[in-house]
Amino acid sequence: MDSDIVMVDEKGKRADGREADELRPMKIEAGVLPNADGSAYLEIGKNKVLAAVYGPRECHPRHLQDPTKAIVQCKYNMQSYSVGDRKRPGPDRRSVEISKIISEALESVILTELFPRASIDVYIEIMQANAGTRCAGLSAASVALADAGIPMRDLVPSVAVGKADGKLLLDLNKEEDNFGEADLPLAIIPKTDEVVLLQMDGHMTKEEFDAAMKMGVAACHQIYEMQRDALRRRYSVTEEEEVEE
Ligand code: UDP
């Protein structure tokens, strides 16, 4: 352990009162921005995230057009005021990387071949950050895409699993992320449990990695239910009315 800070007490409770496998309180609302084709607002713990979708629309610049399918262009942006130490505005290496991995995760579920030459533009704004913003952004973006009526194979729930005080912990908060030993953000397609995003910062043993994946996939299924609830509320559809494929 790198610090004297206790993140998990002798009873296994975390400093914020959560169990090891417990998500932070979460809230999702679809259709919050009337100007956008689709949108969603998501809170998880102290993270506050907005996602807006425009498209499918003509792709600019035109040289990016793909005659066989639509391209998915995601812009992840952390506002200067989203963290205690003002973040320098504008893109940086981190936001370019996050935009790329989120675009790729979303591209794997969107039926892009239905919209040749088009662009599907996804904007993710982090208004308040407390670790796990790439996952929160991706979970929000997939609800915004569904709200825009973009045909998709499924939604994409996402969460991070980490290790702090030598224990696996779900959905790390900022302190756990800063002082912990590892962080493993992941995202899945719930219908198949196919993994569409996976990164790792720090080290885990093979056994820890397997257990972390299991914990993360189970939590993604919980987030999936909240995503679906948000869409049902938006379109006033009851669970019984929902047409199963
Ligand atoms: N963070 C920050 N300034 C930055 C980048 C990140 O304060 O320029 C904080 C922010 O709270 C973020 C956390 O560090 O949520 C963890 O960042 P990381 O790069 O691990 O991505 P995230 O966990 O948000 O996906």
Side-chain angles (χ1 to χ4, degrees), residues 47 76 78 83 87 92 94 98 129-135 174 177 183:
N47 291 310
Y76 163 101
M78 236 172 79
V83 283
K87 190 213 160 271
D92 51 20
R94 176 178 173 274
I98 295 176
N130 193 257
T133 59
R134 72 195 62 205
C135 299
K174 183 78 167 74
D177 186 68
D183 183 24

PDB file of all heavy atoms in Angstrom, residues 47 76 78 83 87 92 94 98 129-135 174 177 183, ligand 1:
ATOM      1  N   ASN A  47     -20.200  12.462  -9.807  1.00  0.00           N
ATOM      2  CA  ASN A  47     -20.051  12.732 -11.245  1.00  0.00           C
ATOM      3  C   ASN A  47     -21.363  13.248 -11.815  1.00  0.00           C
ATOM      4  O   ASN A  47     -22.426  12.689 -11.534  1.00  0.00           O
ATOM      5  CB  ASN A  47     -19.683  11.459 -12.009  1.00  0.00           C
ATOM      6  CG  ASN A  47     -18.282  10.966 -11.691  1.00  0.00           C
ATOM      7  OD1 ASN A  47     -17.328  11.745 -11.737  1.00  0.00           O
ATOM      8  ND2 ASN A  47     -18.162   9.704 -11.370  1.00  0.00           N
ATOM      9  N   TYR A  76     -15.369  13.805 -25.950  1.00  0.00           N
ATOM     10  CA  TYR A  76     -15.452  13.814 -24.486  1.00  0.00           C
ATOM     11  C   TYR A  76     -14.761  15.078 -24.001  1.00  0.00           C
ATOM     12  O   TYR A  76     -13.626  15.349 -24.392  1.00  0.00           O
ATOM     13  CB  TYR A  76     -14.745  12.564 -23.941  1.00  0.00           C
ATOM     14  CG  TYR A  76     -14.396  12.604 -22.473  1.00  0.00           C
ATOM     15  CD1 TYR A  76     -15.178  11.941 -21.533  1.00  0.00           C
ATOM     16  CD2 TYR A  76     -13.254  13.279 -22.020  1.00  0.00           C
ATOM     17  CE1 TYR A  76     -14.836  11.957 -20.180  1.00  0.00           C
ATOM     18  CE2 TYR A  76     -12.914  13.297 -20.671  1.00  0.00           C
ATOM     19  CZ  TYR A  76     -13.706  12.639 -19.762  1.00  0.00           C
ATOM     20  OH  TYR A  76     -13.372  12.647 -18.432  1.00  0.00           O
ATOM     21  N   MET A  78     -14.013  17.568 -20.487  1.00  0.00           N
ATOM     22  CA  MET A  78     -14.155  17.862 -19.071  1.00  0.00           C
ATOM     23  C   MET A  78     -14.129  19.372 -18.887  1.00  0.00           C
ATOM     24  O   MET A  78     -13.162  20.035 -19.281  1.00  0.00           O
ATOM     25  CB  MET A  78     -12.977  17.231 -18.310  1.00  0.00           C
ATOM     26  CG  MET A  78     -13.404  16.316 -17.215  1.00  0.00           C
ATOM     27  SD  MET A  78     -12.017  15.419 -16.516  1.00  0.00           S
ATOM     28  CE  MET A  78     -11.369  16.686 -15.496  1.00  0.00           C
ATOM     29  N   VAL A  83     -13.564  20.008 -11.771  1.00  0.00           N
ATOM     30  CA  VAL A  83     -12.666  19.467 -10.740  1.00  0.00           C
ATOM     31  C   VAL A  83     -12.134  20.614  -9.883  1.00  0.00           C
ATOM     32  O   VAL A  83     -12.166  21.778 -10.304  1.00  0.00           O
ATOM     33  CB  VAL A  83     -11.476  18.705 -11.380  1.00  0.00           C
ATOM     34  CG1 VAL A  83     -11.907  17.347 -11.877  1.00  0.00           C
ATOM     35  CG2 VAL A  83     -10.832  19.503 -12.500  1.00  0.00           C
ATOM     36  N   LYS A  87      -9.292  22.655 -14.582  1.00  0.00           N
ATOM     37  CA  LYS A  87      -8.723  21.921 -15.719  1.00  0.00           C
ATOM     38  C   LYS A  87      -8.536  22.884 -16.875  1.00  0.00           C
ATOM     39  O   LYS A  87      -9.437  23.660 -17.172  1.00  0.00           O
ATOM     40  CB  LYS A  87      -9.662  20.777 -16.119  1.00  0.00           C
ATOM     41  CG  LYS A  87      -9.032  19.850 -17.123  1.00  0.00           C
ATOM     42  CD  LYS A  87     -10.035  19.275 -18.096  1.00  0.00           C
ATOM     43  CE  LYS A  87      -9.381  18.765 -19.351  1.00  0.00           C
ATOM     44  NZ  LYS A  87      -9.251  19.775 -20.411  1.00  0.00           N
ATOM     45  N   ASP A  92      -6.975  17.515 -24.656  1.00  0.00           N
ATOM     46  CA  ASP A  92      -5.626  17.106 -24.251  1.00  0.00           C
ATOM     47  C   ASP A  92      -5.489  15.622 -24.586  1.00  0.00           C
ATOM     48  O   ASP A  92      -6.438  15.010 -25.075  1.00  0.00           O
ATOM     49  CB  ASP A  92      -5.381  17.387 -22.760  1.00  0.00           C
ATOM     50  CG  ASP A  92      -6.475  16.827 -21.871  1.00  0.00           C
ATOM     51  OD1 ASP A  92      -7.208  15.914 -22.316  1.00  0.00           O
ATOM     52  OD2 ASP A  92      -6.609  17.275 -20.722  1.00  0.00           O
ATOM     53  N   ARG A  94      -5.485  13.013 -22.786  1.00  0.00           N
ATOM     54  CA  ARG A  94      -6.449  12.172 -22.077  1.00  0.00           C
ATOM     55  C   ARG A  94      -7.826  12.227 -22.751  1.00  0.00           C
ATOM     56  O   ARG A  94      -8.449  11.201 -23.003  1.00  0.00           O
ATOM     57  CB  ARG A  94      -6.537  12.639 -20.625  1.00  0.00           C
ATOM     58  CG  ARG A  94      -7.581  11.917 -19.806  1.00  0.00           C
ATOM     59  CD  ARG A  94      -7.551  12.422 -18.362  1.00  0.00           C
ATOM     60  NE  ARG A  94      -8.659  11.860 -17.622  1.00  0.00           N
ATOM     61  CZ  ARG A  94      -9.867  12.391 -17.603  1.00  0.00           C
ATOM     62  NH1 ARG A  94     -10.125  13.501 -18.281  1.00  0.00           N
ATOM     63  NH2 ARG A  94     -10.825  11.814 -16.912  1.00  0.00           N
ATOM     64  N   ILE A  98      -9.906   9.182 -24.518  1.00  0.00           N
ATOM     65  CA  ILE A  98     -11.231   8.772 -24.029  1.00  0.00           C
ATOM     66  C   ILE A  98     -12.268   8.885 -25.158  1.00  0.00           C
ATOM     67  O   ILE A  98     -13.114   8.003 -25.326  1.00  0.00           O
ATOM     68  CB  ILE A  98     -11.629   9.590 -22.777  1.00  0.00           C
ATOM     69  CG1 ILE A  98     -10.663   9.264 -21.624  1.00  0.00           C
ATOM     70  CG2 ILE A  98     -13.071   9.306 -22.363  1.00  0.00           C
ATOM     71  CD1 ILE A  98     -10.879  10.061 -20.348  1.00  0.00           C
ATOM     72  N   ALA A 129     -16.604  16.057 -11.868  1.00  0.00           N
ATOM     73  CA  ALA A 129     -15.859  14.790 -11.997  1.00  0.00           C
ATOM     74  C   ALA A 129     -15.405  14.280 -10.636  1.00  0.00           C
ATOM     75  O   ALA A 129     -14.934  15.052  -9.803  1.00  0.00           O
ATOM     76  CB  ALA A 129     -14.645  15.007 -12.894  1.00  0.00           C
ATOM     77  N   ASN A 130     -15.567  12.985 -10.450  1.00  0.00           N
ATOM     78  CA  ASN A 130     -15.101  12.353  -9.205  1.00  0.00           C
ATOM     79  C   ASN A 130     -14.673  10.915  -9.469  1.00  0.00           C
ATOM     80  O   ASN A 130     -15.073   9.993  -8.751  1.00  0.00           O
ATOM     81  CB  ASN A 130     -16.207  12.430  -8.142  1.00  0.00           C
ATOM     82  CG  ASN A 130     -15.676  12.096  -6.764  1.00  0.00           C
ATOM     83  OD1 ASN A 130     -15.877  11.001  -6.244  1.00  0.00           O
ATOM     84  ND2 ASN A 130     -14.962  13.028  -6.168  1.00  0.00           N
ATOM     85  N   ALA A 131     -13.955  10.694 -10.545  1.00  0.00           N
ATOM     86  CA  ALA A 131     -13.467   9.376 -10.983  1.00  0.00           C
ATOM     87  C   ALA A 131     -14.578   8.542 -11.606  1.00  0.00           C
ATOM     88  O   ALA A 131     -15.714   8.514 -11.135  1.00  0.00           O
ATOM     89  CB  ALA A 131     -12.813   8.596  -9.859  1.00  0.00           C
ATOM     90  N   GLY A 132     -14.216   7.880 -12.699  1.00  0.00           N
ATOM     91  CA  GLY A 132     -15.183   7.054 -13.421  1.00  0.00           C
ATOM     92  C   GLY A 132     -15.953   7.833 -14.473  1.00  0.00           C
ATOM     93  O   GLY A 132     -17.004   7.394 -14.935  1.00  0.00           O
ATOM     94  N   THR A 133     -15.398   8.970 -14.922  1.00  0.00           N
ATOM     95  CA  THR A 133     -16.169   9.801 -15.856  1.00  0.00           C
ATOM     96  C   THR A 133     -16.239   9.204 -17.262  1.00  0.00           C
ATOM     97  O   THR A 133     -17.214   9.421 -17.966  1.00  0.00           O
ATOM     98  CB  THR A 133     -15.600  11.229 -15.960  1.00  0.00           C
ATOM     99  OG1 THR A 133     -14.248  11.143 -16.412  1.00  0.00           O
ATOM    100  CG2 THR A 133     -15.660  11.947 -14.632  1.00  0.00           C
ATOM    101  N   ARG A 134     -15.207   8.438 -17.667  1.00  0.00           N
ATOM    102  CA  ARG A 134     -15.285   7.840 -19.013  1.00  0.00           C
ATOM    103  C   ARG A 134     -16.423   6.824 -19.053  1.00  0.00           C
ATOM    104  O   ARG A 134     -17.160   6.722 -20.047  1.00  0.00           O
ATOM    105  CB  ARG A 134     -13.951   7.213 -19.421  1.00  0.00           C
ATOM    106  CG  ARG A 134     -13.582   5.938 -18.712  1.00  0.00           C
ATOM    107  CD  ARG A 134     -12.133   5.576 -18.902  1.00  0.00           C
ATOM    108  NE  ARG A 134     -11.262   6.613 -18.334  1.00  0.00           N
ATOM    109  CZ  ARG A 134     -10.009   6.840 -18.744  1.00  0.00           C
ATOM    110  NH1 ARG A 134      -9.485   6.105 -19.691  1.00  0.00           N
ATOM    111  NH2 ARG A 134      -9.287   7.780 -18.191  1.00  0.00           N
ATOM    112  N   CYS A 135     -16.601   6.084 -17.936  1.00  0.00           N
ATOM    113  CA  CYS A 135     -17.672   5.078 -17.869  1.00  0.00           C
ATOM    114  C   CYS A 135     -19.033   5.767 -17.795  1.00  0.00           C
ATOM    115  O   CYS A 135     -19.968   5.384 -18.501  1.00  0.00           O
ATOM    116  CB  CYS A 135     -17.477   4.177 -16.649  1.00  0.00           C
ATOM    117  SG  CYS A 135     -15.913   3.283 -16.697  1.00  0.00           S
ATOM    118  N   LYS A 174     -13.013   9.224  -6.260  1.00  0.00           N
ATOM    119  CA  LYS A 174     -11.740   9.923  -6.529  1.00  0.00           C
ATOM    120  C   LYS A 174     -10.630   9.512  -5.558  1.00  0.00           C
ATOM    121  O   LYS A 174      -9.500   9.261  -5.982  1.00  0.00           O
ATOM    122  CB  LYS A 174     -12.001  11.431  -6.456  1.00  0.00           C
ATOM    123  CG  LYS A 174     -10.836  12.303  -6.783  1.00  0.00           C
ATOM    124  CD  LYS A 174     -10.619  12.394  -8.283  1.00  0.00           C
ATOM    125  CE  LYS A 174      -9.656  13.492  -8.660  1.00  0.00           C
ATOM    126  NZ  LYS A 174      -8.266  13.170  -8.357  1.00  0.00           N
ATOM    127  N   ASP A 177      -9.499   6.044  -6.287  1.00  0.00           N
ATOM    128  CA  ASP A 177      -8.772   6.059  -7.563  1.00  0.00           C
ATOM    129  C   ASP A 177      -7.358   6.616  -7.358  1.00  0.00           C
ATOM    130  O   ASP A 177      -6.376   6.066  -7.841  1.00  0.00           O
ATOM    131  CB  ASP A 177      -9.567   6.907  -8.568  1.00  0.00           C
ATOM    132  CG  ASP A 177      -8.972   6.859  -9.960  1.00  0.00           C
ATOM    133  OD1 ASP A 177      -9.029   5.799 -10.583  1.00  0.00           O
ATOM    134  OD2 ASP A 177      -8.441   7.888 -10.430  1.00  0.00           O
ATOM    135  N   ASP A 183      -7.058   0.241 -11.471  1.00  0.00           N
ATOM    136  CA  ASP A 183      -8.345   0.766 -11.955  1.00  0.00           C
ATOM    137  C   ASP A 183      -8.628   0.083 -13.293  1.00  0.00           C
ATOM    138  O   ASP A 183      -7.752   0.041 -14.158  1.00  0.00           O
ATOM    139  CB  ASP A 183      -8.196   2.285 -12.138  1.00  0.00           C
ATOM    140  CG  ASP A 183      -9.476   2.957 -12.570  1.00  0.00           C
ATOM    141  OD1 ASP A 183     -10.557   2.406 -12.311  1.00  0.00           O
ATOM    142  OD2 ASP A 183      -9.397   4.067 -13.158  1.00  0.00           O
TER     143      ASP A 183
HETATM  144  N1  UDP B   1      -9.062  14.471 -12.983  1.00  0.00           N
HETATM  145  C1  UDP B   1      -8.704  15.781 -12.704  1.00  0.00           C
HETATM  146  N2  UDP B   1      -8.109  16.531 -13.681  1.00  0.00           N
HETATM  147  C2  UDP B   1      -7.820  16.017 -14.926  1.00  0.00           C
HETATM  148  C3  UDP B   1      -8.166  14.692 -15.190  1.00  0.00           C
HETATM  149  C4  UDP B   1      -8.785  13.941 -14.203  1.00  0.00           C
HETATM  150  O1  UDP B   1      -8.955  16.260 -11.605  1.00  0.00           O
HETATM  151  O2  UDP B   1      -7.269  16.739 -15.780  1.00  0.00           O
HETATM  152  C5  UDP B   1      -9.750  13.691 -11.947  1.00  0.00           C
HETATM  153  C6  UDP B   1     -11.252  13.592 -12.225  1.00  0.00           C
HETATM  154  O3  UDP B   1     -11.968  13.626 -11.004  1.00  0.00           O
HETATM  155  C7  UDP B   1     -11.377  12.241 -12.856  1.00  0.00           C
HETATM  156  C8  UDP B   1     -10.352  11.475 -12.041  1.00  0.00           C
HETATM  157  O4  UDP B   1      -9.273  12.363 -11.916  1.00  0.00           O
HETATM  158  O5  UDP B   1     -12.688  11.722 -12.744  1.00  0.00           O
HETATM  159  C9  UDP B   1      -9.891  10.167 -12.662  1.00  0.00           C
HETATM  160  O6  UDP B   1      -9.411  10.399 -13.943  1.00  0.00           O
HETATM  161  P1  UDP B   1      -9.125   9.238 -14.976  1.00  0.00           P
HETATM  162  O7  UDP B   1      -8.153   9.772 -15.992  1.00  0.00           O
HETATM  163  O8  UDP B   1      -8.777   7.991 -14.240  1.00  0.00           O
HETATM  164  O9  UDP B   1     -10.517   9.041 -15.745  1.00  0.00           O
HETATM  165  P2  UDP B   1     -11.979   8.672 -15.202  1.00  0.00           P
HETATM  166  O10 UDP B   1     -11.812   7.781 -13.993  1.00  0.00           O
HETATM  167  O11 UDP B   1     -12.670   9.958 -14.871  1.00  0.00           O
HETATM  168  O12 UDP B   1     -12.599   7.949 -16.350  1.00  0.00           O
END
